Amino acid sequence: MRRIALYVVGSLCVLATPVAGEEVVAPGTPIVVVRIDRHDVFDLDDPSMSAWPYRWVDALHILTHEDFIRSLLLFREGDRLDPLQLAESEIILRATGFLNPVNISARPVPGGAEVVVETHDQWSTGVNVSFGMSGDRRTASFGLSEDNVLGLGKSFLFDVSSDPERTSTTFRYKDITFFHSRWQLALEHQSSSDGSMDHLRFEYPFFSLTTPRAGGVDWSRNASTMYLWSDGERRVTGDANMRSWEVWGGLRLPGSGIRTDRVLVGAFGERAVFSDWQSLYGPPYPQPRDRNLVGPEVGWDHRTFRWKLVQGFRAWLRQEDLPLGPNWTVTTGLSLPLLGADSVRLRYHGVFESGQFEGRTYTWQRVDFSGRVESRGLGNAITHLEAGGAITGSAGVRVRVAADLGYALDGERQLTLGADTGLRGYDPNTFDGTSRVVTNVEWRHRITGELLHVAAIGLTAFADGGKTWGARVGPSTEGWRGDVGAGVLVELTRASLVRILRFEVALPDRGRRPVYLITTDSLF
């Protein structure tokens, strides 16, 4: 019996010349069967995973429902086989976070093709007891979370956390197939020792390259105490009451292939009221200006469906989708007193991303800019520039250079530099600034396979350098600062909640004590 293969390069399906015993399923072949092949967290048929701990985990875990998986696919029985739809469906399934790896293939059957969707569940339930440390900054939390409630793809989080700014209780709920549809719902409420926050998002997104229409609403409210930092200490404090909302719709323009353009239209509102701002050290600090923006907005979104499916970028054994693009989005809104705004202002935001992949090396570029045009000129303008490269696989070097260039920042904004923003040899929020630049060089090497089918361990060595300027509440770096360090990385290979644990120590360049870091986030 001959086999038919559908080849995927990156995450872009292409037709390939058949090798011995294989031939390509032709695009346009009728899909007569879509078979979902689901795998639990552990494969109990494998003798090495047949012991009681693995059996207990699988018994406690609810396998993702087949209906949920089908609801995310871009094809159905009776459709014509489209390699792009198969590749994009893989990316959508992996983007859930709790399905990895995912593989979609096609084979011949009488009357057409059978598409096989193979998924592997990750452990998605967490009793979160965590402790983080970045020099003098300590964070702790306790909570319950589930990324895949009852196997239906819904998620919730209940968390009590403490950090140097506040103690908070957070509830979060997300449903990416609201009432078995493409609508998505996200809700969040946070009560803190210094205020509260609420957020609602309800939208029908551009979930695929060919989605013709999209739209939604977004609303948030945040009333809390804000802080400006320097040398790891709170230097300025004040109350802020912020509200924002947005209503938007989008239309895909005619076109075909791997590129698509979309027009975005909508309306927005942004209101910020400040009170009781004071300096804790040094001269008085001026209270930030209140602002009220309301008006229409328009935008343009360009997507290029070029991806590379790899292992060994941020994680070693997990599938990761790296975008190549180029992709960009630009939006602008005009705030008008006629609609209730305090003055005429032009709000803008844009993002450009591009990537390249050659051999084992992934390089990327990103530009992000936002701000306002006002009667006094530019306001709260921040331009983020980033370029980086990484050798993927079990061992390699990663490099990044990133700059945030600020101009006429709002009084509540600052761009600090420390361990949390890439200069790991200094405590978070050590250096004040309204602009900053940081560069990171990191070597990583995996030293184990998958230990006990739950984790892989590796080593890292790194060097960082950076500077800030335009300080307002404390000293800048006063030139370049740097550090060197090393650490241990642990990839949790069967968990969707925490994927990488980093245990690092960094030595600063100017005689300070070492900084110890425990994090679950990757710098880049």
Side-chain angles (χ1 to χ4, degrees):
M1 178 179 178
R2 294 188 304 174
R3 291 190 299 130
I4 287 184
L6 181 68
Y7 291 90
V8 179
V9 176
S11 287
L12 175 62
C13 290
V14 298
L15 299 182
T17 302
V19 297
E22 294 185 342
E23 66 180 84
V24 173
V25 175
T29 300
I31 300 174
V32 297
V33 178
V34 176
R35 179 163 61 87
I36 311 298
D37 188 5
R38 300 172 296 157
H39 299 269
D40 219 324
V41 179
F42 297 106
D43 180 7
L44 302 183
D45 293 331
D46 184 338
S48 65
M49 287 186 274
S50 61
W52 65 266
Y54 305 115
R55 295 197 304 270
W56 281 17
V57 169
D58 277 4
L60 292 171
H61 175 258
I62 299 177
L63 193 62
T64 302
H65 285 209
E66 181 175 321
D67 287 346
F68 171 76
I69 295 173
R70 288 183 181 274
S71 71
L72 296 184
L73 300 178
L74 301 178
F75 52 86
R76 302 285 187 271
E77 286 93 347
D79 291 349
R80 298 286 178 173
L81 187 67
D82 184 341
L84 283 176
Q85 289 183 344
L86 270 61
E88 197 174 3
S89 295
E90 275 195 11
I91 293 173
I92 292 170
L93 292 174
R94 281 191 291 268
T96 63
F98 52 80
L99 295 174
N100 197 297
V102 175
N103 296 285
I104 300 179
S105 60
R107 69 181 189 88
V109 294
E114 177 189 56
V115 176
V116 179
V117 180
E118 185 177 9
T119 64
H120 296 74
D121 273 31
Q122 299 279 300
W123 179 257
S124 55
T125 303
V127 179
N128 305 324
V129 180
S130 65
F131 173 79
M133 180 172 64
S134 296
D136 285 339
R137 170 169 287 196
R138 306 291 195 274
T139 61
S141 67
F142 171 80
L144 301 173
S145 62
E146 172 58 63
D147 278 357
N148 189 10
V149 177
L150 300 176
L152 297 173
K154 309 175 193 314
S155 66
F156 79 87
L157 167 74
F158 175 78
D159 180 80
V160 179
S161 61
S162 177
D163 60 37
E165 292 190 342
R166 58 186 56 88
T167 298
S168 304
T169 301
T170 302
F171 173 79
R172 184 182 305 131
Y173 174 80
K174 185 177 181 181
D175 186 350
I176 62 173
T177 54
F178 187 67
F179 278 109
H180 308 288
S181 72
R182 295 286 188 180
W183 286 91
Q184 299 184 357
L185 173 68
L187 299 169
E188 183 173 358
H189 172 74
Q190 183 180 91
S191 297
S192 304
S193 55
D194 62 354
S196 63
M197 183 273 291
D198 293 289
H199 179 228
L200 162 69
R201 186 177 72 251
F202 186 57
E203 64 179 3
Y204 188 91
F206 285 110
F207 55 85
S208 78
L209 192 70
T210 57
T211 303
R213 292 172 297 277
V217 297
D218 193 286
W219 174 87
S220 65
R221 179 196 64 84
N222 190 348
S224 64
T225 301
M226 300 186 71
Y227 304 95
L228 300 182
W229 293 76
S230 181
D231 204 22
E233 298 180 339
R234 289 179 267 192
R235 293 298 181 97
V236 174
T237 179
D239 294 333
N241 192 325
M242 300 183 176
R243 296 175 183 267
S244 66
W245 59 267
E246 183 180 24
V247 179
W248 67 278
L251 180 66
R252 177 181 180 270
L253 299 180
S256 60
I258 65 171
R259 295 177 180 84
T260 189
D261 289 281
R262 300 152 176 166
V263 174
L264 311 173
V265 296
F268 72 96
E270 176 188 338
R271 180 177 176 84
V273 178
F274 303 95
S275 61
D276 300 328
W277 280 65
Q278 57 182 315
S279 176
L280 303 178
Y281 306 95
Y285 186 81
Q287 185 160 287
R289 294 174 178 267
D290 296 346
R291 58 183 179 270
N292 185 23
L293 286 74
V294 183
E297 63 181 355
V298 296
W300 188 279
D301 180 70
H302 175 86
R303 300 288 109 182
T304 305
F305 189 71
R306 295 176 60 243
W307 297 75
K308 183 67 178 179
L309 176 61
V310 303
Q311 291 176 291
F313 177 57
R314 293 186 180 92
W316 284 301
L317 302 181
R318 187 182 302 266
Q319 288 182 338
E320 298 178 85
D321 297 296
L322 303 182
L324 303 180
N327 304 313
W328 67 82
T329 302
V330 178
T331 60
T332 183
L334 183 61
S335 178
L336 299 170
L338 178 66
L339 300 176
D342 54 11
S343 64
V344 176
R345 309 180 196 225
L346 183 71
R347 188 178 76 163
Y348 65 88
H349 181 223
V351 180
F352 172 85
E353 296 175 308
S354 182
Q356 302 79 38
F357 201 94
E358 184 174 350
R360 291 173 48 210
T361 302
Y362 176 58
T363 56
W364 68 91
Q365 306 82 38
R366 178 182 173 90
V367 178
D368 189 315
F369 54 92
S370 63
R372 302 187 301 269
V373 179
E374 306 174 315
S375 60
R376 300 186 301 273
L378 286 180
N380 201 42
I382 298 179
T383 301
H384 175 80
L385 307 172
E386 180 174 331
I391 299 175
T392 61
S394 61
V397 176
R398 298 161 55 84
V399 180
R400 179 190 70 150
V401 178
D404 294 289
L405 309 177
Y407 180 81
L409 294 190
D410 290 337
E412 76 276 12
R413 296 290 300 275
Q414 67 175 155
L415 297 171
T416 61
L417 188 59
D420 56 334
T421 48
L423 195 62
R424 285 169 279 191
Y426 291 87
D427 291 338
N429 301 320
T430 294
F431 303 110
D432 180 31
T434 54
S435 293
R436 66 189 173 202
V437 62
V438 63
T439 181
N440 311 101
V441 179
E442 182 176 285
W443 169 85
R444 305 192 318 163
H445 181 72
R446 178 166 59 86
I447 60 175
T448 74
E450 190 182 27
L451 299 175
L452 300 176
H453 303 288
V454 296
I457 300 175
L459 302 176
T460 181
F462 56 85
D464 308 313
K467 66 178 295 186
T468 65
W469 60 95
R472 295 184 295 189
V473 300
S476 67
T477 55
E478 299 174 351
W480 282 87
R481 299 291 181 103
D483 62 67
V484 295
V488 175
L489 275 61
V490 180
E491 178 185 356
L492 303 180
T493 57
R494 307 279 173 159
S496 67
L497 300 168
V498 175
R499 298 167 186 174
I500 295 287
L501 290 171
R502 302 174 66 98
F503 303 89
E504 297 171 323
V505 57
L507 305 173
D509 62 343
R510 298 199 182 180
R512 296 196 177 196
R513 67 191 184 283
V515 173
Y516 299 92
L517 303 102
I518 303 173
T519 66
T520 59
D521 297 319
S522 177
L523 279 175
F524 55 94

